[in-house]
Amino acid sequence: MNEKVETLKKELTERLEEVSSFIDLGTVKTEFLGKKGKITELSLMIKTLSPEEKKDFGRLLNEIKTFAEEALQEKQDSIETLIMNEKLKSERIDVTLPGTNIKNGSPNMLEGMIEDLEELFLNMGYDVVEGPEVEKDLYNFELLNLPKGHPARDAQDTFYLKDDELLLRSQTSPVQIRTMLANAEKGPVRIICPGKTYRRDDDDATHSHQFTQMEGLLVDVGISLADLKGTFDVIAKHLFGENVETRFRSSFYPFTEPSVELDVSCFNCGGKGCPICKQTGWITVGGAGMVHPKVLSNCGYDPEKMSGFAFGFGIERLAMLKYGVTDVRSFYMNDLRNNSDRKDV
Ligand code: DAH
């Protein structure tokens, strides 16, 4: 009997050595411990034995059963460990590998510029006002003292939509008109109006058929050119640093009288002359002037009692100067490969 048990143990051990999957393990288990398994069959022999023999046989039977259960369990554990190790190997993540470089977005330069200027003006008590991009000829030109056929319209040729009366606004100045017309008491006005504008320009490094302007308008009692100068000074220093100086250069706009060009001393060379200021020491950043009496009266204001100044900046131009962007088209291109102006990494 002893021998039989020993052979079974040996047989089981050998069978288990070949096992490498749960399926094989199941087969071996049935083979030995199943209803018709070798150990089960062995236990049936108990009936044929005498009481004395039964005692020994029972002990041997328990021993082989325990042995088989333990051996099967051991094998099951080792298969589980094997599978787990393989899984760990195949799903291994090397945390020391550098990750895929995800390009972070950054705030749009033009939006950033507008928000920065808005904050500056809000702190000075101005309101931010917006107007429609599809505008009436009346507001974009006529009430701004640019009647039909006026030669100054040529510089602001734009896209017309209907009967020459509706157009894509060529400047943000019509927002001045809208605001003054809407002000029923004809009291003071203090606004800036940022927004998109359009012109029939051929696109190149410095021209775009669509661009962004920011207009400013201040109307009150006793406003003079000195107020404009002081305001421009604040803007210039805010944008280009405390050391820049400002100057007016006489100019012409139909909606202002007198009209001026707004120049800042070159923030790059300090006024000595360099490629950015084209060796002049000065950079023109916008246009401005005292609101023309005709424009005031067109909007119901009495030019004898009230006066005001207005100014206009091209936001792209300011951003190009401030951030060293060399092609205005870079603001609108979304193919980063061709975007040589982008300095982000
Ligand atoms: N609208 C002018 C332009 O687009 C810029 C400008 C000049 C606006 C003088 C003004 C101003 O309000 O007073 O060229």
Side-chain angles (χ1 to χ4, degrees):
M1 190 54 69
N2 244 337
E3 248 168 61
K4 208 158 190 168
V5 167
E6 283 313 309
T7 338
L8 264 182
K9 274 188 187 175
K10 216 174 141 214
E11 205 183 317
L12 176 65
T13 312
E14 277 167 12
R15 291 283 286 117
L16 281 178
E17 261 165 30
E18 292 156 20
V19 165
S20 60
S21 72
F22 287 130
I23 298 175
D24 291 348
L25 187 68
T27 315
V28 175
K29 192 174 180 181
T30 321
E31 214 174 287
F32 285 83
L33 292 174
K35 262 189 200 156
K36 289 183 181 158
K38 291 179 178 168
I39 294 174
T40 323
E41 263 171 14
L42 187 70
S43 67
L44 294 177
M45 280 175 62
I46 202 158
K47 291 178 218 154
T48 61
L49 301 176
S50 68
E52 244 91 300
E53 287 169 324
K54 269 184 189 167
K55 213 173 158 197
D56 275 350
F57 184 75
R59 190 178 47 77
L60 281 173
L61 212 59
N62 274 341
E63 189 188 313
I64 177 83
K65 267 192 188 161
T66 316
F67 175 84
E69 273 158 14
E70 277 176 7
L72 284 162
Q73 185 61 48
E74 212 172 275
K75 191 71 197 181
Q76 179 165 333
D77 290 349
S78 83
I79 296 176
E80 271 169 9
T81 313
L82 211 76
I83 291 174
M84 179 61 89
N85 282 344
E86 282 204 348
K87 218 172 164 189
L88 283 176
K89 225 197 261 171
S90 67
E91 291 176 6
R92 182 163 170 241
I93 298 167
D94 185 349
V95 290
T96 64
L97 273 179
T100 321
N101 185 19
I102 299 167
K103 277 213 162 190
N104 280 328
S106 52
N108 178 287
M109 267 187 201
L110 302 177
E111 284 301 318
M113 196 91 202
I114 290 173
E115 276 173 24
D116 177 48
L117 287 169
E118 280 180 355
E119 196 177 312
L120 177 73
F121 279 99
L122 286 169
N123 285 334
M124 292 197 285
Y126 285 67
D127 287 329
V128 178
V129 180
E130 290 190 337
E133 288 167 40
V134 174
E135 188 52 282
K136 292 178 182 171
D137 183 279
L138 183 69
Y139 295 163
N140 192 75
F141 289 130
E142 260 171 70
L143 295 181
L144 283 161
N145 202 26
L146 273 145
K148 289 205 167 70
H150 193 292
R153 281 195 180 207
D154 289 353
Q156 296 204 20
D157 194 12
T158 180
F159 303 92
Y160 287 84
L161 299 166
K162 202 175 146 218
D163 307 332
D164 286 0
E165 292 306 333
L166 270 188
L167 44 79
L168 294 185
R169 67 179 178 192
S170 60
Q171 47 187 352
T172 40
S173 308
V175 188
Q176 297 185 19
I177 300 294
R178 286 178 171 275
T179 309
M180 286 194 281
L181 283 174
N183 190 336
E185 295 96 44
K186 303 302 165 196
V189 175
R190 199 180 285 201
I191 57 161
I192 52 160
C193 355
K196 288 191 198 122
T197 48
Y198 303 83
R199 288 191 196 173
R200 260 203 58 197
D201 264 331
D202 288 328
D203 294 358
D204 62 22
T206 51
H207 295 86
S208 170
H209 62 280
Q210 183 228 294
F211 57 106
T212 320
Q213 281 195 341
M214 184 179 279
E215 185 96 4
L217 171 72
L218 187 139
V219 179
D220 210 329
V221 178
I223 300 301
S224 78
L225 211 54
D227 298 305
L228 174 61
K229 186 80 180 355
T231 307
F232 177 44
D233 225 57
V234 170
I235 304 166
K237 288 184 163 53
H238 175 79
L239 287 176
F240 299 109
E242 278 303 313
N243 295 329
V244 296
E245 285 175 36
T246 54
R247 77 171 183 192
F248 285 164
R249 218 158 23 85
S250 95
S251 184
F252 172 78
Y253 294 103
F255 30 86
T256 42
E257 183 58 37
S259 301
V260 293
E261 297 292 307
L262 302 172
D263 290 356
V264 293
S265 62
C266 182
F267 47 83
N268 187 50
C269 64
K272 284 190 218 87
C274 72
I276 290 183
C277 60
K278 300 198 180 91
Q279 309 303 333
T280 64
W282 294 91
I283 298 171
T284 305
V285 293
M290 298 306 292
V291 181
H292 198 291
K294 259 197 188 164
V295 174
L296 286 174
S297 57
N298 282 347
C299 299
Y301 280 80
D302 182 353
E304 297 294 325
K305 291 194 189 135
M306 308 278 268
S307 57
F309 65 71
F311 57 84
F313 294 110
I315 297 295
E316 282 82 353
R317 179 157 166 73
L318 292 181
M320 284 168 85
L321 287 168
K322 189 167 165 122
Y323 301 113
V325 178
T326 52
D327 192 324
V328 69
R329 291 167 294 190
S330 334
F331 291 121
Y332 309 110
M333 275 193 296
N334 59 9
D335 185 346
L336 299 183
R337 287 169 309 177
N338 299 331
N339 225 331
S340 56
D341 270 327
R342 286 186 71 113
K343 295 198 179 67
D344 55 357
V345 277

